Amino acid sequence: MATSNLNKIKDKRKDQIMNAALNVVATKGYSDCRMDDIVSEAALSKGAIYWYYSSKKDIFLSLVNHWVNRWGVTLNHIVEEDLSASDQLKALFDFFLNAYNDNPTVFKAELEFWALSSRDEDFRKKTHKVYQEFLELIEGIIQRGVDSGDFKNLDVKVAALSIMVNIEGIVWFSFFDSDGLSAKHYFETITDFILSGLRAK
């Protein structure tokens, strides 16, 4: 029981640090934020944070894992459900729309990780792995659609990449003025457009 309580405390502290790091990187950017900013945002001592993470870089690399793990449970559930490929893709778009509505800060932080991946090898490897796994998940849905006859025969990899690019478009809603266009309307339109192009005639 004591070990269980200790693990719960550790998980709570890590969540606290991850949430603080997310808010700091979204508002200040990676280059301009300092450990002191994370300490202040987390309302923990610097020693408490260093107990779990060795550096600012370690925190932000862990932040990528934190959100991948959090979202991965739902994404894997979507592809494991006994749904048609069309319904799985629809569920995928719905998931990211809801994620954006719940916490657009995550998508602002993603812009920072994009930028970091072009300058830092560790971030490049980390983000490449994340995007590759996501791309393979979409490819799996499309391939099942092709195999079942739900989707027409097409280049699965190119189709999956196109879908991923459109999902990533929600990042821009978190950062730029979209001239009154709502993320909901964008996703509904893109979903209909993509599914119409994929479905077998």
Side-chain angles (χ1 to χ4, degrees):
M1 182 65 70
T3 301
S4 176
N5 287 337
L6 183 59
N7 287 335
K8 287 180 180 178
I9 292 172
K10 287 181 177 179
D11 289 342
K12 182 180 178 180
R13 286 286 181 267
K14 286 183 177 181
D15 281 346
Q16 201 172 343
I17 296 167
M18 291 294 96
N19 290 334
L22 175 66
N23 290 332
V24 169
V25 77
T27 54
K28 289 196 167 188
Y30 180 81
S31 297
D32 291 336
C33 78
R34 300 290 180 266
M35 284 294 284
D36 286 341
D37 297 317
I38 300 172
V39 168
S40 177
E41 182 74 20
L44 294 170
S45 69
K46 187 175 288 188
I49 291 179
Y50 275 116
W51 177 261
Y52 297 104
Y53 303 101
S54 61
S55 64
K56 181 180 84 169
K57 182 175 180 178
D58 184 27
I59 289 175
F60 286 109
L61 286 171
S62 297
L63 183 59
V64 178
N65 289 338
H66 177 76
W67 281 99
V68 168
N69 292 337
R70 177 171 291 190
W71 286 355
V73 174
T74 304
L75 293 175
N76 288 330
H77 178 68
I78 287 172
V79 298
E80 290 167 0
E81 282 189 315
D82 188 19
L83 298 172
S84 68
S86 294
D87 286 340
Q88 286 183 341
L89 280 183
K90 177 69 166 56
L92 196 68
F93 276 99
D94 287 344
F95 168 77
F96 280 101
L97 174 60
N98 291 331
Y100 169 77
N101 287 331
D102 288 342
N103 195 353
T105 306
V106 177
F107 296 92
K108 290 182 180 179
E110 188 179 349
L111 286 172
E112 280 295 312
F113 295 132
W114 278 356
L116 283 167
S117 66
S118 68
R119 304 191 303 267
D120 184 286
E121 182 66 12
D122 292 326
F123 277 102
R124 190 193 70 77
K125 288 179 180 178
K126 178 77 69 175
T127 54
H128 179 268
K129 182 175 184 294
V130 170
Y131 283 115
Q132 187 60 39
E133 289 176 354
F134 183 41
L135 188 62
E136 289 172 1
L137 181 146
I138 301 172
E139 287 176 6
I141 294 175
I142 297 174
Q143 187 62 61
R144 285 191 292 276
V146 172
D147 293 342
S148 68
D150 186 17
F151 296 157
K152 59 189 170 186
N153 194 19
L154 42 68
D155 189 320
V156 171
K157 186 172 290 292
V158 171
L161 184 59
S162 299
I163 290 170
M164 186 172 74
V165 168
N166 277 287
I167 289 174
E168 285 299 309
I170 202 168
V171 171
W172 304 104
F173 282 93
S174 71
F175 202 72
F176 297 110
D177 181 5
S178 52
D179 295 324
L181 178 65
S182 72
K184 183 175 185 295
H185 180 59
Y186 167 78
F187 262 73
E188 287 175 347
T189 303
I190 288 298
T191 301
D192 289 343
F193 179 76
I194 288 174
L195 289 177
S196 294
L198 288 173
R199 287 191 180 109
K201 302 299 183 184

